[in-house]
Amino acid sequence: MLNQVYRLVSPRQIETQTVNENLGTDDIIVRPTYLSVCHADQRYFTGQRPPQVLSKKLPMALIHEAIGTVVRDPQGIFKVGDTVAMIPDTPFEKDPIIRENYLPTTKFRSSGYDGFMQEYVYLRRDRAVKVPDDFNLEMSAFLEMVSVGVRALMQLKETMDADDQSLGIWGDGNLGYITAVLAKSIFPDTKLYIFGRHQEKLAYFSFADETYVVDSIPDDLTISQAIECTGGAGSAIAIDQIINHIKPMGTAILMGVTEEPVDINTRDVLAKGLILQGTSRSGREDFEKAIEILSASPEAQSYLQNLIGITKTVTTIPEIIDFFDMDLANSWGKAVMHWKV
Ligand SMILES: NC(=O)C1=CN([C@@H]2O[C@H](COP(=O)(O)OP(=O)(O)OC[C@H]3O[C@@H](n4cnc5c(N)ncnc54)[C@H](OP(=O)(O)O)[C@@H]3O)[C@@H](O)[C@H]2O)C=CC1
Ligand SMILES: O=C(CO)[C@H](O)[C@H](O)COP(=O)(O)O
Ligand SMILES: [Zn+2]
């Protein structure tokens, strides 16, 4: 069946490419409905990745945060009309130790493989998770990012020592906010401190125990565990502040993506016996866990709806490009496209 795929062919240049699709025995067909933009998409859209990376990855459809409506399931397991979250992480093998999102053979949509900016997505059925009927659709568009926050917190839980007194999250944006909302459910008795750059963003973290602007953190403040959700140029100072304020033998989960290597004060990492652990992307079970947590907490759903930033119905390629530009200029929240292309 011929399918229209909207691919980034070079920075800021999106073209329709017609692809002849075959429906595999274990596939379903999904019509994307709500798509949410990630920093990773913007790094490709604006050409912030090195030229040799761009030439390897492009052309490809962007977007890995999306929900859609099932239009066909040959096995009849999904009902036509079901809303599903689409999982961009696509493993092709199982490993007894390495999680699917860390396997080198796993494909990740919108990172070298077509993302969800398509007329229809031909999806392996295990890459679709039913979205509860009472979930807000625009909030559900970024369930992938929620699943990434779940992954980080699960890794923290598996790795950290017994000190669960306090958790510090560096980063007052989308990822920090989502991870903080989830932390209230996963570590309900742990004091939650947020460290950011913008008082007006920190104001959204009303559920946290304390918020700090990073240039005025009390010198004697200590935290048990930490998660870095900054990325870019800001992550070096964030990691340095974490190393300074975390208690000995604490664990710091690193989530922010940088294009350049980051200097780390290894002397203090050694002296304090710290664990630094990276986390990237998520697997099916993290999507299921995210939906389980949100289903049990209307309050968490309500907080996440505060993260819905700009929303717009897009019907043409120029409107897609305008929307990406609007996202770049937007300071708070996730940009969610209602996909009518
Ligand atoms: N590991 C994973 O699987 C995933 C990683 N990411 C990555 O996470 C990072 C954050 O994404 P997102 O939340 O959407 O981005 P946002 O821009 O929404 O949020 C980042 C926030 O952190 C602030 N910040 C920058 N430096 C510091 C610092 N040193 N201390 C405290 N706050 C700081 C930024 O301020 P300012 O804007 O002024 O710099 C900004 O407000 C990105 O690199 C993104 O690619 C995203 C999704 C999944
Ligand atoms: O956003 C993310 C997951 O939600 C990851 O940071 C993103 O997938 C990294 O991909 P790339 O290496 O292509 O930047
Ligand atoms: Zn992402």
Side-chain angles (χ1 to χ4, degrees):
M1 178 181 160
L2 296 183
N3 187 29
Q4 304 307 315
V5 182
Y6 299 87
R7 287 177 172 151
L8 184 75
V9 294
S10 62
R12 303 183 58 80
Q13 185 73 30
I14 294 174
E15 290 178 6
T16 312
Q17 297 186 350
T18 303
V19 174
N20 187 21
E21 304 274 10
N22 295 308
L23 188 63
T25 51
D26 208 20
D27 293 348
I28 61 175
I29 303 177
V30 178
R31 167 68 180 157
T33 51
Y34 289 88
L35 283 59
S36 172
V37 181
C38 177
H39 256 269
D41 297 311
Q42 287 288 13
R43 286 191 288 267
Y44 291 109
F45 178 72
T46 57
Q48 279 172 18
R49 304 231 47 201
Q52 64 275 22
V53 170
L54 290 173
S55 61
K56 210 167 74 177
K57 301 263 189 182
L58 303 185
M60 72 175 173
L62 295 178
I63 302 292
H64 53 269
E65 300 175 15
I67 59 171
T69 304
V70 176
V71 296
R72 182 141 179 246
D73 175 2
Q75 295 181 22
I77 297 170
F78 287 103
K79 289 195 306 303
V80 170
D82 274 353
T83 293
V84 293
M86 295 186 278
I87 303 172
D89 198 67
T90 311
F92 291 89
E93 61 172 314
K94 271 197 177 309
D95 185 284
I97 295 172
I98 302 171
R99 304 188 69 87
E100 68 167 73
N101 51 306
Y102 297 123
L103 282 171
T105 51
T106 291
K107 292 184 177 181
F108 190 85
R109 290 179 178 273
S110 82
S111 185
Y113 305 94
D114 280 330
F116 297 128
M117 283 204 321
Q118 304 190 37
E119 182 187 10
Y120 294 102
V121 177
Y122 284 63
L123 195 66
R124 222 169 64 191
R125 69 174 54 256
D126 70 340
R127 301 295 104 188
V129 183
K130 177 89 171 52
V131 174
D133 294 339
D134 61 346
F135 273 30
N136 173 291
L137 294 177
E138 289 165 335
M139 181 272 288
S140 301
F142 49 86
L143 274 172
E144 185 270 349
M145 201 176 215
V146 180
S147 74
V148 166
V150 166
R151 177 68 342 243
L153 289 157
M154 290 300 113
Q155 283 188 204
L156 176 62
K157 208 166 187 173
E158 289 156 14
T159 308
M160 65 190 264
D161 60 17
D163 184 351
D164 61 358
Q165 271 183 11
S166 59
L167 168 63
I169 295 180
W170 267 257
D172 50 8
N174 304 317
L175 191 62
Y177 186 82
I178 287 172
T179 307
V181 169
L182 293 167
K184 292 306 286 181
S185 295
I186 296 170
F187 293 102
D189 303 322
T190 297
K191 280 203 169 310
L192 182 62
Y193 300 158
I194 311 299
F195 303 87
R197 275 186 166 160
H198 309 275
Q199 194 52 59
E200 66 277 13
K201 290 187 178 184
L202 288 169
Y204 281 95
F205 294 76
S206 54
F207 49 86
D209 294 276
E210 298 291 345
T211 62
Y212 296 92
V213 177
V214 287
D215 53 12
S216 53
I217 303 174
D219 291 340
D220 59 353
L221 180 82
T222 58
I223 45 158
S224 311
Q225 317 295 340
I227 302 181
E228 175 270 327
C229 296
T230 60
S235 46
I237 179 72
I239 294 169
D240 205 47
Q241 287 188 330
I242 287 171
I243 292 169
N244 293 339
H245 290 279
I246 199 169
K247 289 181 191 170
M249 293 184 64
T251 293
I253 301 292
L254 308 182
M255 301 186 78
V257 173
T258 65
E259 287 302 334
E260 305 304 326
V262 171
D263 290 342
I264 289 183
N265 173 1
T266 50
R267 170 179 276 277
D268 285 0
V269 172
L270 275 55
K272 296 174 84 172
L274 303 180
I275 297 172
L276 305 184
Q277 188 181 55
T279 178
S280 179
R281 301 171 177 170
S282 60
R284 181 182 172 87
E285 69 177 64
D286 302 312
F287 272 78
E288 290 169 337
K289 183 73 177 171
I291 289 172
E292 177 196 316
I293 291 170
L294 296 185
S295 298
S297 175
E299 189 183 37
Q301 290 184 51
S302 169
Y303 279 126
L304 289 185
Q305 286 170 37
N306 292 341
L307 198 61
I308 299 169
I310 51 175
T311 59
K312 198 169 184 307
T313 299
V314 296
T315 61
T316 64
I317 287 179
E319 287 177 357
I320 297 171
I321 291 171
D322 286 347
F323 190 79
F324 270 74
D325 283 333
M326 284 165 66
D327 176 47
L328 287 169
N330 182 41
S331 65
W332 173 261
K334 294 293 287 179
V336 180
M337 284 185 268
H338 190 182
W339 185 251
K340 297 259 189 185
V341 182

